[in-house]
Amino acid sequence: MITLAVDAMGGDAGLSVTVPGAVSFLKQRTDARLIMVGDDALVREALTAANAPMERIDICHASQVVAMDEPPQLALKNKKDSSMRVAINQVKEGNAQAAVSAGNTGALMATARFVLKTIPGIERPAIAKFLPSADNHMTLMLDLGANVDCSADQLMQFAVIGSELFQALYPEKGRPRIGLLNVGTEEIKGTETIKQAFELLQSSSLNFVGNVEGNAVFSGEVDVVVADGFVGNVVLKTIEGAVKFLGGAIKHEFKASLFTKAAALVAFPALKGFKNKFDPRRFNGAIFLGLRGVVVKSHGGTDATGFAYALEEAYHEARADSLDKIEQGVASQLALLAEKRLESEQAVMADNIE
Amino acid sequence: MITLAVDAMGGDAGLSVTVPGAVSFLKQRTDARLIMVGDDALVREALTAANAPMERIDICHASQVVAMDEPPQLALKNKKDSSMRVAINQVKEGNAQAAVSAGNTGALMATARFVLKTIPGIERPAIAKFLPSADNHMTLMLDLGANVDCSADQLMQFAVIGSELFQALYPEKGRPRIGLLNVGTEEIKGTETIKQAFELLQSSSLNFVGNVEGNAVFSGEVDVVVADGFVGNVVLKTIEGAVKFLGGAIKHEFKASLFTKAAALVAFPALKGFKNKFDPRRFNGAIFLGLRGVVVKSHGGTDATGFAYALEEAYHEARADSLDKIEQGVASQLALLAEKRLESEQAVMADNIE
């Protein structure tokens, strides 16, 4: 049985989205249980109205709600009994294997970091997301905005946690291929930080493919794309914009004339197939990675279908036991890195003595 | 009459692309002349074979060619009679209003910068491109990779030259709306450099809209998107990848069954309209901006149609007299900025005295 803690009050629409999303998810996953966290009476009322399978739901009371525009530090300080925080506490206390919230991203990250702490060796958590790529492949991209400035060491850490997550979820695909997002594939490209990260990655035992350009997000040439949070966020928003814009442009072409309008009817199944494939709700669920607990962030403005997908994302991670695997992987990768550093320092010392 | 200097030997395919591209361009633009720069005999032979309108073509001999993988500094030092350099010399000497090359980007930028120099007040040139956006709008984005690290001052300079170019080409659209690419629209978002650039832009007399996210490239909410060359390049390559990937995904859906295959035939006009609209060849022609001369870079691997579009881009800039306008705009914007800085320094001094 997989148990997820749900911030039932979070998101732009709160219970009216989280409850139907939860019900739809439970219908799909019969080996899952949910702890719905929020105002006891309101949550119970919404669940009853939605005919929820109560035998697989616990309600956990929380008296506060973090507002969507509340500054993270204030939420952390003043909202110790918020539905968001209590949901994360469920993970900390071992009652749930993952927490899901559609609340304020900054507050969720600050709270998750404060309550769960980072995995030893990981300085800062990252936000990661699986994106569709060529040949029905999925590419994991991180960081998507948790850290606008990253050191080479941090980029290396993102590569490690990304690689371990990918491997935990898709063990059949072999060692994940890691790419460093850059302005060209040559080793000499990029900023000083990127060049240093390249060296760290190359000396690691990860399956590092090298630098990749922006198109690698879709090409399927790598499994994990590593970037700092500034670049990653801009790229993610660009992709969202591109999908919307190109979708709109196709629609526009089919509305051009009576003939193309008629053609659209005939083409409907194919166009619908395309639309479903890139429905942003299917890619709802950003993973907070590098924490000692699984936390998934749903888009604040999503609907019940989108929220169910975020629960699905958390479910997959919990079922794959991704956290244990990530923690072990990080420990062994970082031990190796420390060893290599010591070796190279000793080599430098030996050179100096000679 | 508009005269363009063409590096006839540049690009992956050299004359076999540049010559038919030139012929197709001249057919379209009867008020244009070309100076075809390269090996005299080879160029003449190719032009004759292509039935080129020789009354509007001059051939200018250049004995060398810069290789596509030649390091920029070596090209600059050893290839003083390259077709690329001689084409840029034509602009420098006033024989042509713009130069176009499909050659090695790094060498072209280094040579253009060395020969033409930057506009006073502009520290480094940027690479800019017009991209299609919503409602048949065009958005200018820069820098696309000339500078991986940029100071706030440089980002401000990019905004100025981008604004002036946009205004020169589309005077009917009013004062160009400038957006700073960032991870959120709030003023406090981004790296230190981005925050400083925000302040500079806000105190300028540009029509600065504020921070924009990645989707602004397509939404038409701004006319000019400003980013450093690292972010800009990654975004551009991501867009190219997205267009290719989504185009492939549509094709895939139409190949799913006999029915959808038949539907594809009916939908062909609409799908072709879509394909033409986003044909990357139509957006060939990156503008080197901030130099004392107009230089347009064609994609190295484009075909004759793509090369003709790059010539078209240079033609538009030359016809709009964009360079003079940019130089004037830069001078007045930077004078204003210097004045504001002086004022604020004086205010600080006055505060200190009190």
Side-chain angles (χ1 to χ4, degrees):
Chain A
M1 211 71 181
I2 302 291
T3 306
L4 308 178
V6 180
D7 169 9
M9 315 302 279
D12 297 341
L15 290 165
S16 67
V17 158
T18 59
V19 165
V23 171
S24 142
F25 165 77
L26 286 171
K27 214 173 271 172
Q28 200 70 28
R29 296 290 177 185
T30 50
D31 63 339
R33 295 184 59 83
L34 296 180
I35 303 173
M36 299 294 287
V37 184
D39 181 283
D40 190 283
L42 292 175
V43 173
R44 191 172 304 276
E45 191 185 306
L47 286 169
T48 309
N51 253 324
M54 295 306 293
E55 66 284 5
R56 287 192 282 135
I57 295 176
D58 287 313
I59 298 175
C60 176
H61 182 67
S63 62
Q64 297 175 305
V65 178
V66 174
M68 289 306 273
D69 57 355
E70 197 159 341
Q73 291 312 314
L74 286 185
L76 205 56
K77 197 177 152 203
N78 302 330
K79 298 279 176 78
K80 289 183 184 157
D81 198 38
S82 69
S83 54
M84 180 187 278
R85 178 120 167 211
V86 174
I88 294 171
N89 286 342
Q90 299 305 306
V91 176
K92 167 84 176 168
E93 290 157 15
N95 302 331
Q97 287 126 293
V100 179
S101 172
N104 174 337
T105 310
L108 185 65
M109 180 53 98
T111 306
R113 221 178 136 183
F114 180 80
V115 173
L116 299 171
K117 314 293 181 226
T118 53
I119 294 171
I122 301 297
E123 294 168 53
R124 306 195 54 177
I127 301 176
K129 208 166 179 174
F130 282 96
L131 295 166
S133 51
D135 307 322
N136 289 315
H137 190 77
M138 295 292 272
T139 303
L140 182 72
M141 185 161 162
L142 77 169
D143 173 31
L144 297 176
N147 315 279
V148 291
D149 271 314
C150 292
S151 67
D153 272 322
Q154 285 168 345
L155 290 169
M156 168 73 197
Q157 291 161 19
F158 295 168
V160 174
I161 51 182
S163 178
E164 296 297 336
L165 176 68
F166 196 96
Q167 189 147 31
L169 292 178
Y170 300 107
E172 73 283 7
K173 294 204 176 189
R175 293 173 64 218
R177 297 158 302 162
I178 314 295
L180 180 64
L181 196 56
N182 203 337
V183 296
T185 53
E186 304 90 331
E187 195 173 328
I188 51 143
K189 291 277 182 172
T191 61
E192 281 314 308
T193 306
I194 291 287
K195 286 181 203 166
Q196 284 166 22
F198 183 96
E199 278 183 32
L200 285 175
L201 284 162
Q202 212 166 30
S203 70
S204 76
S205 65
L206 293 173
N207 185 9
F208 178 53
V209 169
N211 291 323
V212 294
E213 297 187 289
N215 59 318
V217 179
F218 305 102
S219 66
E221 67 195 84
V222 290
D223 301 307
V224 181
V225 173
V226 176
D228 68 44
F230 191 95
V231 173
N233 184 279
V234 167
V235 163
L236 181 71
K237 300 281 173 64
T238 302
I239 294 171
E240 288 172 359
V243 170
K244 200 174 156 192
F245 173 57
L246 294 172
I250 293 177
K251 217 181 257 175
H252 182 84
E253 289 298 330
F254 277 104
K255 280 185 177 164
S257 70
L258 267 178
F259 177 76
T260 55
K261 273 181 194 165
L265 292 176
V266 181
F268 184 74
L271 293 176
K272 199 170 150 61
F274 175 77
K275 205 181 162 195
N276 286 346
K277 207 172 212 166
F278 296 103
D279 184 343
R281 295 177 301 182
R282 289 191 55 203
F283 308 102
N284 189 23
I287 306 153
F288 286 5
L289 212 54
L291 295 165
R292 303 183 76 172
V294 177
V295 178
V296 169
K297 163 77 174 80
S298 159
H299 196 285
T302 196
D303 62 8
T305 305
F307 195 73
Y309 274 110
L311 293 171
E312 187 73 12
E313 183 67 58
Y315 169 85
H316 279 296
E317 280 193 71
R319 199 176 56 174
D321 211 359
S322 66
L323 189 63
D324 268 9
K325 290 173 187 162
I326 293 172
E327 286 187 333
Q328 286 165 25
V330 168
S332 71
Q333 285 288 347
L334 294 182
L336 187 92
L337 200 67
E339 204 176 293
K340 289 220 171 158
R341 276 196 182 163
L342 193 65
E343 268 173 33
S344 82
E345 275 165 25
Q346 284 170 340
V348 170
M349 275 173 65
D351 278 353
N352 289 346
I353 292 166
E354 269 173 24
Chain B
M1 209 70 180
I2 302 290
T3 306
L4 308 178
V6 180
D7 168 10
M9 316 300 281
D12 296 343
L15 290 165
S16 67
V17 158
T18 59
V19 165
V23 171
S24 143
F25 165 77
L26 286 171
K27 215 174 269 173
Q28 201 70 25
R29 296 293 178 184
T30 51
D31 64 338
R33 296 183 59 83
L34 297 179
I35 304 174
M36 299 294 284
V37 184
D39 181 283
D40 190 284
L42 293 175
V43 173
R44 189 171 305 276
E45 193 186 303
L47 286 168
T48 309
N51 252 323
M54 295 307 294
E55 67 284 5
R56 287 192 282 134
I57 296 176
D58 287 313
I59 299 174
C60 176
H61 183 66
S63 62
Q64 296 174 307
V65 178
V66 173
M68 289 307 274
D69 57 356
E70 199 158 341
Q73 290 314 314
L74 286 185
L76 205 56
K77 198 177 151 204
N78 301 329
K79 298 279 176 78
K80 289 184 183 156
D81 198 38
S82 70
S83 53
M84 180 186 278
R85 177 120 168 210
V86 174
I88 295 172
N89 286 342
Q90 300 303 306
V91 175
K92 169 83 176 167
E93 291 158 14
N95 302 331
Q97 286 126 293
V100 179
S101 173
N104 172 340
T105 309
L108 184 65
M109 180 53 98
T111 305
R113 221 178 135 184
F114 180 79
V115 172
L116 299 172
K117 315 291 181 229
T118 53
I119 294 170
I122 300 297
E123 292 168 53
R124 304 193 55 177
I127 301 177
K129 209 165 177 172
F130 282 96
L131 296 166
S133 51
D135 308 320
N136 289 316
H137 191 77
M138 294 292 271
T139 303
L140 182 72
M141 184 160 163
L142 77 168
D143 172 32
L144 298 176
N147 315 281
V148 291
D149 271 315
C150 292
S151 67
D153 272 322
Q154 285 168 344
L155 290 169
M156 168 73 197
Q157 291 161 19
F158 296 167
V160 173
I161 51 181
S163 178
E164 295 297 336
L165 175 68
F166 195 96
Q167 189 146 31
L169 292 179
Y170 300 106
E172 73 282 6
K173 295 205 176 190
R175 291 174 65 218
R177 297 159 301 163
I178 313 295
L180 180 63
L181 197 55
N182 203 339
V183 296
T185 53
E186 305 91 330
E187 195 172 331
I188 51 140
K189 290 276 182 174
T191 62
E192 281 314 307
T193 305
I194 291 288
K195 287 181 202 164
Q196 285 167 21
F198 184 97
E199 278 183 32
L200 284 175
L201 284 162
Q202 211 166 32
S203 71
S204 77
S205 64
L206 293 172
N207 185 9
F208 179 53
V209 170
N211 291 324
V212 294
E213 297 188 290
N215 59 318
V217 178
F218 306 102
S219 66
E221 66 195 85
V222 289
D223 300 308
V224 180
V225 173
V226 176
D228 69 42
F230 192 95
V231 173
N233 184 279
V234 168
V235 164
L236 181 71
K237 299 280 172 65
T238 302
I239 294 171
E240 288 172 359
V243 170
K244 200 174 155 189
F245 172 57
L246 295 171
I250 294 177
K251 217 183 257 175
H252 181 83
E253 289 299 330
F254 277 106
K255 281 184 177 165
S257 70
L258 267 178
F259 176 78
T260 55
K261 275 181 193 165
L265 292 175
V266 181
F268 184 74
L271 292 176
K272 199 170 148 64
F274 175 76
K275 205 181 159 192
N276 286 345
K277 208 172 212 166
F278 295 103
D279 184 341
R281 295 178 300 182
R282 287 191 54 205
F283 308 102
N284 188 24
I287 305 154
F288 286 5
L289 212 54
L291 295 164
R292 303 183 76 172
V294 177
V295 177
V296 169
K297 165 75 174 79
S298 159
H299 196 287
T302 196
D303 62 8
T305 306
F307 195 73
Y309 273 110
L311 293 170
E312 188 72 14
E313 184 68 58
Y315 168 87
H316 279 295
E317 280 192 71
R319 200 176 55 175
D321 212 358
S322 66
L323 188 63
D324 268 10
K325 290 173 187 161
I326 293 172
E327 286 187 334
Q328 286 165 23
V330 167
S332 72
Q333 285 288 349
L334 295 182
L336 186 92
L337 200 67
E339 203 175 293
K340 289 218 171 160
R341 277 196 181 162
L342 192 65
E343 268 173 33
S344 84
E345 276 164 26
Q346 283 171 341
V348 170
M349 275 173 64
D351 278 353
N352 289 347
I353 291 165
E354 270 174 27

mmCIF file of all heavy atoms in Angstrom, chain A residues 322-337:
data_model
loop_
_atom_site.group_PDB
_atom_site.id
_atom_site.type_symbol
_atom_site.label_atom_id
_atom_site.label_comp_id
_atom_site.label_asym_id
_atom_site.label_seq_id
_atom_site.Cartn_x
_atom_site.Cartn_y
_atom_site.Cartn_z
ATOM 1 N N SER A 322 12.073 5.590 -4.550
ATOM 2 C CA SER A 322 13.098 6.442 -5.151
ATOM 3 C C SER A 322 13.975 7.122 -4.103
ATOM 4 O O SER A 322 15.167 7.302 -4.303
ATOM 5 C CB SER A 322 12.449 7.482 -6.066
ATOM 6 O OG SER A 322 11.657 8.390 -5.315
ATOM 7 N N LEU A 323 13.369 7.469 -2.960
ATOM 8 C CA LEU A 323 14.130 8.248 -1.982
ATOM 9 C C LEU A 323 15.326 7.472 -1.436
ATOM 10 O O LEU A 323 16.449 7.993 -1.404
ATOM 11 C CB LEU A 323 13.216 8.688 -0.838
ATOM 12 C CG LEU A 323 13.881 9.672 0.101
ATOM 13 C CD1 LEU A 323 14.226 10.961 -0.632
ATOM 14 C CD2 LEU A 323 12.992 9.963 1.289
ATOM 15 N N ASP A 324 15.094 6.222 -1.030
ATOM 16 C CA ASP A 324 16.193 5.396 -0.521
ATOM 17 C C ASP A 324 17.294 5.272 -1.555
ATOM 18 O O ASP A 324 18.479 5.380 -1.244
ATOM 19 C CB ASP A 324 15.673 3.985 -0.192
ATOM 20 C CG ASP A 324 15.236 3.900 1.266
ATOM 21 O OD1 ASP A 324 15.183 4.966 1.911
ATOM 22 O OD2 ASP A 324 14.959 2.783 1.733
ATOM 23 N N LYS A 325 16.857 5.032 -2.799
ATOM 24 C CA LYS A 325 17.840 4.846 -3.873
ATOM 25 C C LYS A 325 18.623 6.127 -4.116
ATOM 26 O O LYS A 325 19.835 6.102 -4.339
ATOM 27 C CB LYS A 325 17.135 4.383 -5.145
ATOM 28 C CG LYS A 325 16.624 2.949 -5.004
ATOM 29 C CD LYS A 325 15.777 2.501 -6.179
ATOM 30 C CE LYS A 325 15.176 1.133 -5.882
ATOM 31 N NZ LYS A 325 14.033 0.830 -6.762
ATOM 32 N N ILE A 326 17.937 7.257 -4.062
ATOM 33 C CA ILE A 326 18.629 8.531 -4.273
ATOM 34 C C ILE A 326 19.642 8.755 -3.142
ATOM 35 O O ILE A 326 20.784 9.124 -3.384
ATOM 36 C CB ILE A 326 17.623 9.693 -4.356
ATOM 37 C CG1 ILE A 326 16.775 9.566 -5.622
ATOM 38 C CG2 ILE A 326 18.343 11.041 -4.346
ATOM 39 C CD1 ILE A 326 15.618 10.551 -5.713
ATOM 40 N N GLU A 327 19.208 8.508 -1.912
ATOM 41 C CA GLU A 327 20.108 8.733 -0.773
ATOM 42 C C GLU A 327 21.364 7.865 -0.880
ATOM 43 O O GLU A 327 22.485 8.337 -0.676
ATOM 44 C CB GLU A 327 19.378 8.473 0.555
ATOM 45 C CG GLU A 327 18.400 9.602 0.882
ATOM 46 C CD GLU A 327 17.765 9.495 2.259
ATOM 47 O OE1 GLU A 327 17.643 8.361 2.770
ATOM 48 O OE2 GLU A 327 17.388 10.538 2.809
ATOM 49 N N GLN A 328 21.166 6.597 -1.232
ATOM 50 C CA GLN A 328 22.330 5.711 -1.391
ATOM 51 C C GLN A 328 23.222 6.167 -2.537
ATOM 52 O O GLN A 328 24.445 6.203 -2.422
ATOM 53 C CB GLN A 328 21.863 4.275 -1.674
ATOM 54 C CG GLN A 328 21.297 3.567 -0.452
ATOM 55 C CD GLN A 328 20.518 2.325 -0.850
ATOM 56 O OE1 GLN A 328 20.762 1.743 -1.895
ATOM 57 N NE2 GLN A 328 19.570 1.920 -0.010
ATOM 58 N N GLY A 329 22.579 6.520 -3.652
ATOM 59 C CA GLY A 329 23.338 6.955 -4.827
ATOM 60 C C GLY A 329 24.141 8.209 -4.536
ATOM 61 O O GLY A 329 25.314 8.311 -4.910
ATOM 62 N N VAL A 330 23.518 9.167 -3.871
ATOM 63 C CA VAL A 330 24.204 10.411 -3.533
ATOM 64 C C VAL A 330 25.412 10.108 -2.663
ATOM 65 O O VAL A 330 26.520 10.594 -2.916
ATOM 66 C CB VAL A 330 23.251 11.389 -2.816
ATOM 67 C CG1 VAL A 330 24.033 12.553 -2.212
ATOM 68 C CG2 VAL A 330 22.188 11.900 -3.777
ATOM 69 N N ALA A 331 25.229 9.259 -1.663
ATOM 70 C CA ALA A 331 26.322 8.946 -0.742
ATOM 71 C C ALA A 331 27.501 8.339 -1.502
ATOM 72 O O ALA A 331 28.644 8.764 -1.332
ATOM 73 C CB ALA A 331 25.824 7.992 0.345
ATOM 74 N N SER A 332 27.221 7.379 -2.393
ATOM 75 C CA SER A 332 28.349 6.713 -3.062
ATOM 76 C C SER A 332 28.986 7.644 -4.096
ATOM 77 O O SER A 332 30.202 7.697 -4.232
ATOM 78 C CB SER A 332 27.919 5.384 -3.675
ATOM 79 O OG SER A 332 27.095 5.619 -4.779
ATOM 80 N N GLN A 333 28.166 8.427 -4.806
ATOM 81 C CA GLN A 333 28.719 9.359 -5.794
ATOM 82 C C GLN A 333 29.574 10.418 -5.121
ATOM 83 O O GLN A 333 30.652 10.760 -5.610
ATOM 84 C CB GLN A 333 27.588 10.066 -6.562
ATOM 85 C CG GLN A 333 26.895 9.207 -7.584
ATOM 86 C CD GLN A 333 27.759 8.934 -8.803
ATOM 87 O OE1 GLN A 333 28.797 9.566 -9.002
ATOM 88 N NE2 GLN A 333 27.358 7.965 -9.601
ATOM 89 N N LEU A 334 29.097 10.928 -4.012
ATOM 90 C CA LEU A 334 29.826 12.015 -3.369
ATOM 91 C C LEU A 334 31.087 11.499 -2.684
ATOM 92 O O LEU A 334 32.102 12.195 -2.655
ATOM 93 C CB LEU A 334 28.922 12.780 -2.405
ATOM 94 C CG LEU A 334 27.767 13.529 -3.093
ATOM 95 C CD1 LEU A 334 26.953 14.300 -2.071
ATOM 96 C CD2 LEU A 334 28.242 14.476 -4.186
ATOM 97 N N ALA A 335 31.043 10.263 -2.201
ATOM 98 C CA ALA A 335 32.246 9.667 -1.616
ATOM 99 C C ALA A 335 33.317 9.531 -2.690
ATOM 100 O O ALA A 335 34.488 9.867 -2.492
ATOM 101 C CB ALA A 335 31.908 8.301 -1.031
ATOM 102 N N LEU A 336 32.883 9.087 -3.861
ATOM 103 C CA LEU A 336 33.795 8.928 -4.993
ATOM 104 C C LEU A 336 34.413 10.268 -5.385
ATOM 105 O O LEU A 336 35.614 10.396 -5.641
ATOM 106 C CB LEU A 336 33.004 8.369 -6.171
ATOM 107 C CG LEU A 336 33.838 7.983 -7.378
ATOM 108 C CD1 LEU A 336 34.234 6.506 -7.287
ATOM 109 C CD2 LEU A 336 33.077 8.231 -8.658
ATOM 110 N N LEU A 337 33.556 11.291 -5.419
ATOM 111 C CA LEU A 337 34.017 12.629 -5.806
ATOM 112 C C LEU A 337 35.047 13.140 -4.806
ATOM 113 O O LEU A 337 36.086 13.697 -5.189
ATOM 114 C CB LEU A 337 32.816 13.567 -5.851
ATOM 115 C CG LEU A 337 32.979 14.840 -6.656
ATOM 116 C CD1 LEU A 337 33.124 14.525 -8.127
ATOM 117 C CD2 LEU A 337 31.788 15.765 -6.433
#
